Amino acid sequence: MIPAWAARCLASVAAIAAVLAAGPAPARQETTAALRAEAYEAAQWAIASDAADALARVSARFAQGDDALGRLAEERENLIQRRDRLERELERLYASGDADALADRTRARAIWETTVERLRAVDADIDARFPAYSELTSPRALSIAETQALLGPDEGLLLVLVNPEATYVWGISRERVEWARAETLGDAAMAAAVNRLRASLTSADVRGGQDVDPILFAGPQATPFDRTTAHRLYTELVRPVEAAFVGKKTLISVVTGALTSLPLSVLTTSAPTGSDAAPEALAATPWLIDRYALATLPSVSSLEALRCHLVADPALRSPGCPPRRGAVVRRPEAGGARLLLAAFGAPLLTGEPANATRGSPAADDVTGEGRLADVRKLRALPSLPGSKLELETLKSRYPGSLVRIGSEATERAVRADDADALSRARFVVFSTHGLMAGSAAAEPGLVMTPPDQATEADDGYLSASEAAQLRLNAEFVVLSACNTAASDGRPGGEGLSGLARAFFYAGARSVMVSHWEVSDAATTTLITSAFADLDGPHATDSGVRARALQAGIRAVRAERRWAHPAYWAAFTLVGEPG
């Protein structure tokens, strides 16, 4: 059965298509505008995601400013994580033919039922004691006027809804609204186009089906980037609504379907010339990232969460915010002075850095007995000399900041010893291997320096659920690792879940994540160049974080050997662009 939001959305966009097909008669203009506005709101119901939910909940808890609510909200998140983990474990046990699986299944089922019962009780308690919190976290679609009021003078918003029969696009700025229908890009065609581009950015045949930068393995015979398909997506998705973005420097996107696995920076703004395999042709290609600093959001409503509720000083709320519900609350500052940077990475690992990438096997492959990681398998992963250089460069840029490298980059440091410093840091960086979620109970996560023996407090692996329990007040979290953008790094999964969701829940306002396994050396250049721009003379400008990523990409592309988008396009900024 089609969900109610989907039926409403399909009906609205179909009505628009019918009106437009009938011709632009003046009598129909008012009806068309109303239908476009209705479809814009209906489309937002189709873009619900875990990342958007996490951002809504942390901003609502922040807006309420109540310690009792904070404790309940934290317990609720822990229960959700436990429920989800148990459901993955039950799925594995039901599929197992092992005789011991029945007893394990009975045990896991009993724990799952207890967890769900407690979750219902916590939800009821929050609803009864903090009704405004429930209201703030309820799904809400923003109108076009509300969206325009929240956008800055240099910003545009691109909303792309992929449906089975076509794709619908809205371009919105403070001054203008554009709408388009890409008739040849339904679900199947969009997935095929994205898969073609992903195939020229990653290789699924290397190392057991894992996504990797093909240039690192194929040398000069790297898969040519399909600029024709990239230009087709620009022509059908962006150019029809680009009149709304004239004069804008920052473009915020909200996308669905296969597009969630493709950074829009790889779209080309002119028809390709020369050979796709020629570095000089790639270097001369105009990309969308040249035209705009890019950021993405889990949903349109995330704009309100970030600019209205997750704001420490009420005076800094967007002028387009709705009136406060209840008393104005200032977020309590963490104890101690504000810290510019807290960074962790370059863990002590014994593997040879033969492939020079920051990717590793799926999390299943390093899971030991029970839920803990196998420290022996973690320790055997390739070392990352580029990560060490990256962190040392950041350490010299931010004297007095907290930078943990090698033996100091432990899970215990992140979760306990340096927890206070993390809560006070403006920027947070993890530079290490990122592991994708596996098919069983293993979560996505980040590799830290493994201890001698795995414990609940430290098994050398910071999982998504553990990251969600951190307490951050960070403007910018950088996950300088591979496949941190989605739960499994593959097209078709929910976009911006896994680690991104976890760090949003922990309190980040923006997170930089990657869509495939990244080059260690090129990523070092990208991250250090981005931070050089981030605290430069324009540090207080709107869109500064999106422009910092743009500067980092530009620095990578300045190297002829890194002209292929596999080197520079993996990273996406999710959340507040500035």
Side-chain angles (χ1 to χ4, degrees):
M1 179 179 294
I2 297 177
W5 56 259
R8 181 184 173 201
C9 182
L10 288 170
S12 296
V13 293
I16 290 175
V19 171
L20 293 179
R28 283 188 290 270
Q29 289 180 356
E30 185 174 345
T31 301
T32 301
L35 286 170
R36 286 178 179 174
E38 180 185 352
Y40 173 74
E41 294 182 42
Q44 294 174 54
W45 295 101
I47 309 179
S49 72
D50 284 346
D53 178 69
L55 192 51
R57 290 190 179 282
V58 73
S59 63
R61 189 180 72 209
F62 179 96
Q64 289 285 276
D66 189 290
D67 288 341
L69 172 59
R71 288 190 294 271
L72 282 172
E74 182 173 358
E75 182 182 2
R76 184 184 188 277
E77 180 65 15
N78 291 339
L79 288 166
I80 289 173
Q81 297 282 355
R82 186 190 309 165
R83 179 201 64 191
D84 293 347
R85 186 179 67 245
L86 287 165
E87 287 176 352
R88 291 193 297 270
E89 184 178 351
L90 282 167
E91 182 180 356
R92 178 177 60 83
L93 291 170
Y94 273 105
S96 173
D98 194 322
D100 294 334
L102 178 60
D104 291 340
R105 194 167 65 213
T106 302
R107 173 193 55 79
R109 178 77 186 186
I111 299 173
W112 177 85
E113 290 175 349
T114 301
T115 301
V116 171
E117 183 178 351
R118 176 56 187 162
L119 181 58
R120 291 195 189 103
V122 170
D123 280 337
D125 197 5
I126 291 175
D127 287 344
R129 296 169 59 190
F130 305 100
Y133 176 82
S134 296
E135 182 183 352
L136 284 168
T137 56
S138 297
R140 188 175 101 81
L142 299 185
S143 68
I144 286 176
E146 288 172 324
T147 303
Q148 289 178 307
L150 289 168
L151 289 173
D154 291 333
E155 294 177 333
L157 183 136
L158 177 74
L159 173 62
V160 183
L161 175 67
V162 184
N163 269 341
E165 84 294 348
T167 290
Y168 300 88
V169 186
W170 287 262
I172 299 176
S173 61
R174 280 186 174 185
E175 305 83 11
R176 190 163 180 172
V177 180
E178 297 290 336
W179 178 90
R181 180 176 189 265
E183 297 188 11
T184 64
L185 283 175
D187 267 332
M190 182 70 78
V194 170
N195 286 339
R196 279 197 298 276
L197 291 176
R198 290 275 304 192
S200 58
L201 291 165
T202 62
S203 172
D205 296 323
V206 181
R207 295 198 293 175
Q210 193 181 346
D211 281 344
V212 275
D213 176 342
I215 300 178
L216 299 171
F217 296 89
Q221 303 302 315
T223 305
F225 182 71
D226 187 352
R227 290 181 296 160
T228 298
T229 297
H231 183 58
R232 177 198 173 194
L233 291 183
Y234 164 78
T235 301
E236 298 196 36
L237 299 179
V238 182
R239 190 163 67 186
V241 300
E242 204 163 11
F245 309 142
V246 173
K248 306 306 176 187
K249 297 178 180 178
T250 303
L251 183 60
I252 302 168
S253 63
V254 179
V255 302
T256 63
L259 277 178
T260 61
S261 67
L262 184 75
L264 296 186
S265 57
V266 302
L267 302 190
T268 61
T269 57
S270 68
T273 58
S275 169
D276 284 345
E280 58 273 15
L282 290 174
T285 297
W287 307 91
L288 192 66
I289 190 65
D290 296 321
R291 189 167 291 181
Y292 308 105
L294 299 174
T296 187
L297 290 176
S299 69
V300 178
S301 62
S302 298
L303 201 62
E304 183 178 79
L306 286 164
R307 296 184 173 181
C308 300
H309 308 311
L310 199 59
V311 180
D313 185 349
L316 299 179
R317 298 173 80 227
S318 166
C321 291
R324 287 266 191 187
R325 300 173 175 90
V328 172
V329 178
R330 283 184 179 267
R331 185 174 189 178
E333 291 291 335
R338 187 73 158 140
L339 192 66
L340 271 179
L341 173 74
F344 303 81
L348 286 183
L349 305 172
T350 58
E352 289 294 325
N355 294 324
T357 64
R358 298 185 187 181
S360 311
D364 283 348
D365 295 340
V366 298
T367 301
E369 294 296 323
R371 295 187 294 108
L372 300 180
D374 185 322
V375 295
R376 179 184 58 83
K377 292 179 179 177
L378 285 180
R379 194 174 291 112
L381 293 173
S383 61
L384 295 169
S387 284
K388 186 173 185 291
L389 175 61
E390 178 182 314
L391 293 176
E392 288 174 342
T393 302
L394 291 177
K395 185 175 183 179
S396 65
R397 178 169 292 281
Y398 299 105
S401 293
L402 175 74
V403 180
R404 301 296 191 198
I405 301 173
S407 62
E408 296 183 343
T410 65
E411 182 185 1
R412 183 182 297 277
V414 174
R415 298 176 61 193
D417 298 347
D418 295 325
D420 174 68
L422 264 174
S423 72
R424 295 184 284 110
R426 180 185 177 194
F427 306 135
V428 173
V429 176
F430 288 90
S431 182
T432 181
H433 288 296
L435 274 62
M436 296 182 295
S439 58
E443 299 179 56
L446 300 169
V447 175
M448 311 304 292
T449 293
D452 293 333
Q453 184 174 352
T455 65
E456 289 287 344
D458 185 355
D459 63 352
Y461 186 61
L462 183 69
S463 67
S465 59
E466 291 166 340
Q469 295 174 46
L470 300 175
R471 286 294 167 259
L472 305 179
N473 187 15
E475 295 177 10
F476 194 25
V477 172
V478 176
L479 304 183
S480 185
C482 86
N483 280 308
T484 50
S487 56
D488 60 3
R490 296 293 201 279
E494 180 190 309
L496 311 176
S497 58
L499 284 168
R501 173 183 181 272
F503 280 96
F504 275 131
Y505 191 83
R509 287 174 56 78
S510 59
V511 183
M512 198 167 85
V513 292
S514 64
H515 285 274
W516 53 81
E517 186 166 340
V518 294
S519 159
D520 190 31
T523 299
T524 297
T525 295
L526 189 149
I527 299 300
T528 54
S529 299
F531 271 92
D533 193 80
L534 190 65
D535 58 359
H538 305 294
T540 59
D541 292 356
S542 63
V544 62
R545 292 189 282 280
R547 287 206 293 280
L549 175 56
Q550 185 183 42
I553 289 173
R554 190 178 295 120
V556 174
R557 286 171 51 199
E559 295 263 0
R560 183 179 181 278
R561 59 185 172 135
W562 292 336
H564 195 292
Y567 278 109
W568 53 260
F571 284 98
T572 296
L573 178 69
V574 187
E576 178 60 66

